[in-house]
Amino acid sequence: MMIRLLGPVELERADQTRPVRPPQAALALAALAWEAGRVVPIETLLARIWGERIPSGARNTLYTLITHLRRDVLGDDGDVLHRTGGYLLDVDESAVDLARFRHLAERAAAAEDPGPPLSEALALWRGDPLTGLPGEWAERARRRLCDERKEIVLRWARTVTAGDPAAAVAALSPLAEDYPLDELVAAALIEALHAWGRTAEALACFAGVRRTLAEELGVEPGTALRRVHRMLLRDGETAEPERPVPAQLPGHLECFVGRKAELDRLAATAAVCVISGPPGVGKSSLALHWAHQHRDDFPGGQLHAHLGTLDPADGSAVLPRFLGALGVAETRIPSGVEAQVGLYRSLLAGRRVLVMLDDARGADQVAPLLATAPGCLTMITSRTELPSLSVTAGASLLHLDVLSGQDAHRLLAARVGETRLAADPEAAELIIDRCGRLPLALSIVAARMVRRADLPLAEIAADLERAETDLEPFADTDPAIDLRVVFGRSYRDLPDEAARLFRRLGRQAGPDLPLRAVASLAALPVERTRKLIDHLDRANLVELSSLSALSPHSRLGLHDLLRAYAAEQARATDSRTVRRAATRRLLDYYVHSACAASAACYPHRERVKPDRRARGVTVERFAGRAEALRWYAAESVALPAMVAEAAEAGLDRHAWHLAWGFAEFMQRTGPWEEILRVQAVALDAATRLGDRVAQACCHSGLARAGAKLGHDQEAVAHFDRAIELHRDLDEPVLEAHLHLGLTVPVSRVRPGEELGHALRALELFQQGGDAIGEARALNNAGWWRAQIGEYGQALADCTHAQRLLADLGYAQGEGHAWDSIAYVLDAMGDHARAVTCYERAAELFKECGDPYPAAETLVRLGRTHAAAGNTAAALDAWERAAQCYDALGDTKAEAVRARRAALSDPAQG
């Protein structure tokens, strides 16, 4: 099989050629075959097929096209494989005529007789490449392929001119018509005509080319044409001196570390490569390091320009300098930009030149400076993404992130010495962490460490701690290494509305925010917020956790130092009233979303009514329990900081409402030490409000977490205080929950009271008409009856509770009832039924996503199996319990595994 791109897009099998249809399928195949054997990102495929205006249903159409290629086009001869972020055409490179064409060209370069492989390469062409395919990428690819063919025709003509000049003239004549300003093509044709004995035509050809150059570019013929002209005139003069070879690369750092994967990708890059990433991430360092490593691959020279201070829409101001470096006298440089671009590209033709464009601000800025001639490479670094270049120039795009922890350590060690870091490894790691593994930040701190060799690392690390709120530790009198100045270059290019959103993000509490939280911060509709996020993403000022800002599940984060910069800009630009309003909106989002999540996950829980949300707040809407649990898991990381911020801002109702909104989820998953901190702040807020119900809720949260941690005295004290606060409130259901929660810790502090509290809870739930609470209290009473040997009444209570809870559809409560029944049956010696009930309880807890009671049930199940002599089943139950504790980060997993080890190897016991 041969995939043909060098003409109409076709598939050839056994001497039969079939066109690929429809045109979109041909485009998709060409876009994949262009990089056969390599992953082509989905965004690149979409851009190559549809250009910059990608329709809304393009992704679905792409999937359909891929299926068509697999099933109807490639069949058994190849496949299109899905890989992370893109697709890969899985065929041998020799099965693509373009790849074979390039392979033959490379083989000819090393051959003693390059003629045969060059002839074979040219024979692969069957007309205009990608014939008839629409779109910007296809047009750009056509131009590039025609340029490559031109170079091969020139090389082939040089090998045959002496022996078969007629054949050379036949091949070069149409080429000269296609490239009327290409002096190398004209020179080759003139030489071939002269070798064929047609010197008069050769002289006429020279005169015509000279006239065209003067009219179109305002220049005289270059060295190659003047040489062949002298040869025609047989004046015996030698060729003019060689053109100058520019060497403009700045010096590179000797202590460059890491980036192996990125360097490998650059080695296989296209003719244009864009390296993008956040400010300070080391884009220029990477590009320069690679360029110096490979400078010998570009004997025609290296050009360099820094574009950061130029007009982002026009980089043509650099052209005169580049032309001068390539040997054009100032008086010969054309005045018009178009003529300068034409001359620049003519001078690059036939040379291998590296053009490095540093800190580019836009695709239009670099367009006139691209080295489009085969053998040349344009390497661009940019703080913004330049995706359009992948379409218009076939550019490969490389995104740079912060260093790995290991490479960050190596960078610091290369600057200050490993010995100094080894003297205080803990402080060294703190420094790396507080620099956020950002190369520029690490370099700034390393320079200070070198200047102050007497300064302990711990003192430097302590000074960097303030970088959480401002960037003063990274300030410098030299703007090139002042982090504020470097970040400011990206910030200043943002549209006003995007800059405003960036400032708002400086106060986010967690590592990242969901889309609707960002919209609430900005007080904008979600769709408008998405567009602004796209601006920030293209500027590499934010980090998106999904493929694009268009995803409803996108999460938006900032590098820690960028967050500090955003907070600085907010303090400098926005009034305190504006900043406080943004904080209020974000807290409103979390309070109202947490209440919605609680209703979705725990529909039988008592509700609180939060204050009316501020204008501009967009609240989450959960399709079901699973979606709400995912939200809880993602957002609970930021809860302590949010509650603290609400309290500091004087928003005390927000503080305790936040604690309440997350309380049930966190009580089931931990960590309980964190719950204690959150509820303590919430309790202070509730106390300031004088709200007895709020205080009781917070005391209950503290008590439940304390009981989980074994702080029974404190837990009982908090429950007692909560019950006291409920006196005279006429809230029997709320008070009943407190009595129910009190039973476990009070059994260890004031033994004998637990059954009384369970029965009091039963009475209060009945008064309040809470059927689920009544059934839970009944089960709780049965459990405590079993502890004092009243097994008959205990089994009756728990069985009755299980039936009520099943009828009410409260799976979690039913799980506890089955666990109690199993415990009673086990105590009564009915181990077989106990096992069945324990398994049913564990199954219900698993369905509810409630790992802690599941773990406790499985521990008891293991004991029952062990007591019955069923060792294998006991080991299995305890391993499942340990896995539940592992998921919670609970150290009880170690004790459970120790019990397993003792049972499997009695000698260890």
Side-chain angles (χ1 to χ4, degrees):
M1 178 193 73
M2 176 73 75
I3 298 172
R4 295 197 171 274
L5 307 182
L6 304 178
V9 178
E10 299 171 332
L11 211 69
E12 181 179 299
R13 288 190 180 94
D15 297 327
Q16 290 187 348
T17 302
R18 188 181 68 174
V20 178
R21 294 194 179 98
Q24 279 190 338
L27 258 176
L29 181 61
L32 289 163
W34 188 268
E35 299 177 68
R38 295 204 303 270
V39 175
V40 182
I42 289 175
E43 299 299 330
T44 299
L45 284 173
L46 294 172
R48 288 178 177 177
I49 297 171
W50 283 281
E52 293 188 347
R53 296 186 177 180
I54 299 172
S56 58
R59 283 179 179 265
N60 290 334
T61 305
L62 176 61
Y63 303 149
T64 302
L65 292 173
I66 295 295
T67 302
H68 171 61
L69 292 179
R70 288 170 174 155
R71 185 185 60 206
D72 302 325
V73 177
L74 296 171
D76 296 331
D77 294 324
D79 198 4
V80 179
L81 305 179
H82 183 264
R83 293 290 183 265
T84 303
Y87 289 93
L88 176 148
L89 179 61
D90 186 22
V91 297
D92 192 275
E93 278 198 348
S94 63
V96 180
D97 63 354
L98 172 59
R100 180 154 180 76
F101 171 78
R102 289 171 171 167
H103 172 72
L104 288 166
E106 290 175 3
R107 200 174 85 191
E112 288 185 7
D113 180 8
L118 292 175
S119 297
E120 188 179 346
L122 291 171
L124 293 167
W125 284 71
R126 295 160 299 106
D128 200 22
L130 309 181
T131 303
L133 291 192
E136 295 174 349
W137 176 78
E139 182 57 34
R140 177 62 190 169
R142 265 191 289 275
R143 290 198 298 269
R144 179 175 171 183
L145 290 173
C146 287
D147 285 345
E148 289 185 41
R149 181 181 180 277
K150 177 193 71 174
E151 294 301 313
I152 299 304
V153 171
L154 282 172
R155 288 167 60 186
W156 174 82
R158 293 187 192 108
T159 67
V160 303
T161 291
D164 189 0
V169 169
L172 291 167
S173 294
L175 206 61
E177 292 179 10
D178 292 336
Y179 295 88
L181 298 176
D182 193 309
E183 297 188 41
L184 292 177
V185 172
L189 176 57
I190 290 168
E191 283 189 290
L193 285 167
H194 178 61
W196 197 9
R198 297 164 66 175
T199 304
E201 288 183 44
L203 285 166
C205 181
F206 174 83
V209 173
R210 183 176 187 175
R211 184 170 55 253
T212 302
L213 289 171
E215 291 173 354
E216 297 292 329
L217 302 179
V219 299
E220 286 294 314
T223 304
L225 274 175
R226 292 200 300 274
R227 179 183 60 79
V228 297
H229 186 232
R230 285 194 299 272
M231 178 191 68
L232 294 178
L233 298 176
R234 300 184 181 281
D235 60 1
E237 292 181 18
T238 58
E240 290 191 3
E242 290 292 323
R243 290 178 289 185
V245 177
Q248 296 185 343
L249 291 179
H252 69 296
L253 295 171
E254 295 297 330
C255 53
F256 183 90
V257 300
R259 305 294 196 195
K260 183 180 184 305
E262 291 86 352
L263 289 168
D264 289 343
R265 279 194 61 188
L266 288 175
T269 194
V272 178
C273 176
V274 181
I275 304 173
S276 63
V281 81
K283 302 177 290 293
S284 299
S285 296
L286 173 68
L288 279 172
H289 184 75
W290 187 91
H292 279 282
Q293 279 187 331
H294 294 269
R295 63 188 306 164
D296 291 343
D297 296 339
F298 300 96
Q302 305 90 39
L303 297 169
H304 178 274
H306 189 279
L307 306 180
T309 58
L310 300 182
D311 182 349
D314 183 12
S316 60
V318 175
L319 278 170
R321 183 160 64 81
F322 277 6
L323 290 172
L326 292 168
V328 181
E330 186 175 352
T331 55
R332 291 185 61 210
I333 295 175
S335 58
V337 172
E338 191 172 343
Q340 289 178 5
V341 172
L343 178 57
Y344 171 64
R345 291 176 178 167
S346 296
L347 290 170
L348 292 178
R351 304 177 69 172
R352 294 181 63 84
V353 177
L354 170 64
V355 178
M356 183 170 169
L357 306 175
D358 200 12
D359 200 18
R361 297 174 66 188
D364 291 339
Q365 187 185 47
V366 301
L369 304 174
L370 298 178
T372 56
C376 293
L377 170 64
T378 306
M379 186 169 289
I380 302 165
T381 70
S382 178
R383 290 171 281 117
T384 61
E385 302 289 340
L386 303 176
S388 62
L389 288 179
S390 69
V391 177
T392 60
S396 62
L397 307 178
L398 175 62
H399 181 83
L400 209 56
D401 206 345
V402 297
L403 294 169
S404 67
Q406 183 179 10
D407 283 342
H409 183 97
R410 288 174 58 204
L411 175 60
L412 208 55
R415 299 292 184 88
V416 304
E418 183 62 49
T419 302
R420 189 170 181 193
L421 299 185
D424 192 345
E426 185 175 343
E429 289 308 305
L430 275 174
I431 290 170
I432 291 168
D433 182 60
R434 287 168 184 169
C435 289
R437 295 181 281 122
L438 191 71
L440 179 58
L442 288 164
S443 299
I444 292 170
V445 174
R448 186 189 313 164
M449 293 166 69
V450 170
R451 289 195 306 267
R452 295 291 310 275
D454 60 321
L455 207 59
L457 294 189
E459 192 171 327
I460 294 173
D463 184 49
L464 292 177
E465 190 169 4
R466 65 186 290 190
E468 293 180 6
T469 55
D470 70 66
L471 294 181
E472 194 57 33
F474 300 99
D476 198 278
T477 54
D478 182 352
I481 56 171
D482 186 314
L483 213 53
R484 284 194 185 101
V485 175
V486 174
F487 287 171
R489 292 179 192 139
S490 295
Y491 174 69
R492 76 181 181 205
D493 286 341
L494 293 173
D496 289 345
E497 206 173 10
R500 191 178 306 119
L501 175 58
F502 176 71
R503 296 196 299 273
R504 299 285 182 274
L505 293 170
R507 54 92 27 249
Q508 71 180 67
D512 52 21
L513 291 173
L515 180 59
R516 286 182 173 83
V518 178
S520 299
L521 258 180
L524 291 171
V526 169
E527 290 306 317
R528 180 60 189 154
T529 304
R530 281 182 173 139
K531 290 182 172 63
L532 297 180
I533 289 173
D534 191 53
H535 278 293
L536 297 178
D537 184 38
R538 285 174 180 264
N540 286 299
L541 290 173
V542 295
E543 299 166 358
L544 283 174
S545 61
S546 68
L547 288 177
S548 80
L550 300 177
S551 166
H553 303 296
S554 292
R555 298 189 64 81
L556 189 72
L558 268 70
H559 186 279
D560 290 344
L561 297 178
L562 279 168
R563 184 184 298 123
Y565 177 76
E568 281 189 346
Q569 293 304 308
R571 290 193 294 271
T573 307
D574 301 323
S575 68
R576 186 176 182 276
T577 301
V578 168
R579 301 198 308 272
R580 180 180 170 84
T583 298
R584 164 69 188 269
R585 288 194 301 273
L586 184 63
L587 294 172
D588 273 357
Y589 160 81
Y590 274 108
V591 167
H592 286 267
S593 296
C595 289
S598 178
C601 294
Y602 318 112
H604 307 294
R605 185 186 181 201
E606 290 295 310
R607 310 285 175 85
V608 300
K609 187 176 181 180
D611 296 337
R612 184 175 180 178
R613 63 181 185 263
R615 186 175 181 180
V617 174
T618 305
V619 179
E620 298 289 346
R621 296 173 181 172
F622 302 107
R625 187 171 189 273
E627 194 173 292
L629 285 172
R630 283 195 296 273
W631 182 86
Y632 266 137
E635 306 312 319
S636 59
V637 177
L639 180 64
M642 285 190 296
V643 173
E645 183 170 3
E648 288 169 10
L651 299 170
D652 288 330
R653 285 182 64 78
H654 285 78
W656 91 262
H657 281 159
L658 275 169
W660 179 91
F662 281 82
E664 194 65 24
F665 171 78
M666 295 190 72
Q667 288 288 355
R668 295 173 188 230
T669 60
W672 293 286
E673 293 88 348
E674 195 166 279
I675 297 172
L676 292 179
R677 291 193 293 272
V678 167
Q679 293 291 348
V681 174
L683 177 58
D684 289 342
T687 303
R688 286 192 294 272
L689 290 168
D691 187 328
R692 293 177 67 182
V693 171
Q695 292 174 57
C697 286
C698 296
H699 277 294
S700 174
L702 287 164
R704 292 171 70 189
K708 294 289 188 185
L709 291 167
H711 303 167
D712 294 324
Q713 292 282 0
E714 294 89 337
V716 169
H718 281 298
F719 272 128
D720 285 344
R721 177 59 180 148
I723 291 170
E724 182 184 346
L725 285 165
H726 268 288
R727 288 178 187 154
D728 305 323
L729 287 180
D730 192 26
E731 292 282 359
V733 171
L734 293 177
E735 185 180 347
H737 282 293
L738 297 170
H739 283 284
L740 205 58
L742 176 58
T743 57
V744 173
V746 84
S747 70
R748 297 190 286 259
V749 175
R750 300 195 296 261
E753 293 186 14
E754 53 272 18
L755 181 57
H757 284 289
L759 294 173
R760 176 59 178 155
L762 179 61
E763 178 185 347
L764 289 167
F765 278 128
Q766 288 170 338
Q767 285 180 21
D770 187 332
I772 287 178
E774 182 181 346
R776 290 179 61 220
L778 184 62
N779 176 63
N780 193 269
W783 172 269
W784 293 114
R785 289 187 191 282
Q787 306 307 306
I788 56 176
E790 297 179 5
Y791 297 127
Q793 186 60 48
L795 186 60
D797 287 349
C798 296
T799 302
H800 186 198
Q802 181 271 317
R803 290 171 182 159
L804 289 173
L805 291 163
D807 290 342
L808 292 165
Y810 185 41
Q812 193 215 21
E814 187 187 354
H816 283 287
W818 279 114
D819 179 82
S820 300
I821 294 168
Y823 178 85
V824 176
L825 289 171
D826 195 31
M828 295 171 69
D830 193 343
H831 303 305
R833 286 177 62 200
V835 165
T836 301
C837 295
Y838 276 135
E839 289 286 8
R840 178 58 180 151
E843 181 183 351
L844 286 167
F845 289 137
K846 182 178 180 181
E847 290 175 4
C848 295
D850 216 349
Y852 194 85
E856 293 180 321
T857 291
L858 290 166
V859 168
R860 287 191 279 272
L861 173 61
R863 288 178 187 156
T864 301
H865 279 308
N870 193 343
T871 301
L875 294 175
D876 175 69
W878 284 338
E879 178 56 30
R880 287 154 61 197
Q883 289 172 4
C884 290
Y885 285 129
D886 284 339
L888 292 164
D890 196 314
T891 56
K892 289 179 182 175
E894 299 171 10
V896 174
R897 288 200 169 93
R899 181 177 292 172
R900 283 187 84 252
L903 181 62
S904 60
D905 184 2
Q908 294 184 26

